[in-house]
Amino acid sequence: MRTYLDFEKPVADLQGKVQELRSLGDEGDAVAINDEINRLEARADQALGEIYAKLTPWQKTQVARHPDRPHFVDYAKGLIEDFTPLAGDRKYADDAAIVAGLGRFRGRGIAVIGHEKGSDTESRLKHNFGMARPEGYRKAVRLMELADRFGLPVVTFIDTAGAYPGIGAEERGQAEAIARSTACCLGLGVPIISVIIGEGGSGGAVALATANRLIMLEHAIYSVISPEGAASILWRDAAKAKDAATAMKITAQDLKGMGVSDEIIPEPVGGAHRGREKVMKDVGAAIKRAILPLKHLTREELRRHRREKVLKIGRALG
């Protein structure tokens, strides 16, 4: 069953009528039923196009969080050949919220790291809804250092509401782990490309997204705090999340204008989950475009490029 967002109700109603007609089968005039189905589907496509042509920042937030969007494991399967996950941080445990490993992209060895939210109740609990604990970031650091040692480009896929704020995570050094992961990104002597495929929230996202090139899907978001969190702090009312989403400038379009994002990948009408194959193809092409001009730079040039990019963002937002 397809999941519809609140603002997609007109489309859901039309699609519901289509399903009702299809269930009639041979009970009526097949020609008339098919004609009505075609008419309703055309109206549904038109309604979907009109809705997505004028999404608000809060609606984009909902699309970025859509449970049917492709997740990291889908991109790893669709884009990376011979992907081999590596587990554990060699200090405490393995964290399933971050999946990391080695593979081949377009015939070249590569290190891949991504937040994984899970696609059903069981996998969401296993992956802790993509909210990593310290051991997840330490695992990412371990893999980035391995990639640096062997000269492998690093590609990260960002999709998290933020790092896990639980007591255990704080006791094991959550803030320190995030800081060290961010510092590791800055110090790499190999290209690092980050793709925000859904929600990029707080330092939990920055820890893997301090890159030479930052790419965002059209309806992805990237922010220092969730709209609900910002509303609770500013107005002491999480219900004002819609206002916070607008004020915070969290959409891919806003961030491209401010120089935070380098490229926006268009999504099919209705979001990435309505055209997975095209999205996979476009993300792969964007990663290739991002890596090509970087592979000729020296290790020091790559570090300088990354540092200047981060400082430029700081000046722009300051």
Side-chain angles (χ1 to χ4, degrees):
M1 290 291 292
R2 175 168 285 171
T3 303
Y4 291 93
L5 300 171
D6 292 343
F7 61 86
E8 294 177 329
K9 189 176 183 304
V11 180
D13 291 341
L14 290 168
Q15 290 290 357
K17 293 177 182 177
V18 169
Q19 292 303 319
E20 289 177 8
L21 288 174
R22 284 181 174 157
S23 66
L24 292 177
D26 298 327
E27 296 179 15
D29 185 342
V31 174
I33 290 176
N34 286 334
D35 288 344
E36 182 64 10
I37 287 175
N38 292 335
R39 187 181 69 82
L40 289 173
E41 287 182 332
R43 284 179 57 191
D45 291 342
Q46 180 182 357
L48 190 67
E50 291 172 352
I51 290 170
Y52 273 77
K54 50 183 180 181
L55 290 181
T56 66
W58 175 245
Q59 288 170 335
K60 282 182 174 286
T61 300
Q62 293 176 279
V63 178
R65 296 171 174 173
H66 198 291
D68 296 336
R69 280 179 81 84
H71 295 134
F72 170 69
V73 294
D74 300 310
Y75 288 96
K77 182 179 179 180
L79 296 176
I80 310 301
E81 300 172 1
D82 303 321
F83 178 64
T84 304
L86 301 180
D89 64 347
R90 299 299 185 265
K91 291 179 174 66
Y92 181 76
D94 184 46
D95 182 7
I98 290 180
V99 179
L102 303 174
R104 302 187 72 81
F105 174 74
R106 307 289 171 94
R108 179 176 181 176
I110 197 169
V112 192
I113 305 169
H115 296 99
E116 174 56 42
K117 286 185 172 182
S119 56
D120 54 32
T121 301
E122 183 179 355
S123 62
R124 285 168 191 149
L125 291 172
K126 174 186 174 182
H127 295 287
N128 199 36
F129 300 87
M131 296 185 293
R133 297 174 172 87
E135 45 272 24
Y137 295 108
R138 289 172 182 143
K139 174 170 64 176
V141 168
R142 182 169 74 88
L143 190 73
M144 286 191 282
E145 290 176 345
L146 186 66
D148 195 42
R149 190 178 310 147
F150 291 99
L152 301 176
V154 177
V155 177
T156 65
F157 291 83
I158 313 302
D159 191 15
T160 181
Y164 184 61
I167 293 176
E170 297 297 340
E171 289 175 342
R172 295 194 298 277
Q174 183 71 289
E176 180 266 351
I178 290 172
R180 287 192 181 275
S181 182
T182 306
C184 184
C185 288
L186 285 169
L188 289 181
V190 295
I192 175 168
I193 310 300
S194 293
V195 186
I196 301 182
I197 57 177
E199 187 177 12
S202 193
V206 175
L208 299 183
T210 306
N212 294 100
R213 296 282 291 180
L214 180 68
I215 301 166
M216 296 183 69
L217 290 186
E218 181 182 0
H219 301 310
I221 61 171
Y222 190 30
S223 61
V224 70
I225 191 172
S226 69
E228 295 91 338
S232 296
I233 293 172
L234 294 175
W235 297 294
R236 299 185 183 278
D237 184 2
K240 290 186 176 290
K242 295 180 181 180
D243 298 328
T246 301
M248 290 165 63
K249 307 295 183 184
I250 63 176
T251 69
Q253 294 73 25
D254 288 329
L255 295 168
K256 179 72 163 58
M258 292 186 288
V260 176
S261 171
D262 296 298
E263 182 178 351
I264 298 174
I265 300 175
E267 296 186 30
V269 176
H273 52 288
R274 285 186 165 92
R276 286 170 171 257
E277 290 186 6
K278 184 178 186 307
V279 168
M280 295 288 170
K281 179 180 178 181
D282 291 346
V283 168
I287 293 172
K288 181 180 178 181
R289 284 195 300 272
I291 290 178
L292 281 177
L294 298 173
K295 67 179 184 179
H296 302 296
L297 300 182
T298 66
R299 294 176 63 85
E300 187 53 41
E301 286 172 337
L302 285 166
R303 293 191 189 99
R304 189 183 309 117
H305 178 277
R306 205 174 298 125
R307 180 174 180 273
E308 289 174 354
K309 176 177 173 56
V310 173
L311 291 175
K312 181 180 177 181
I313 292 172
R315 287 190 290 267
L317 300 182

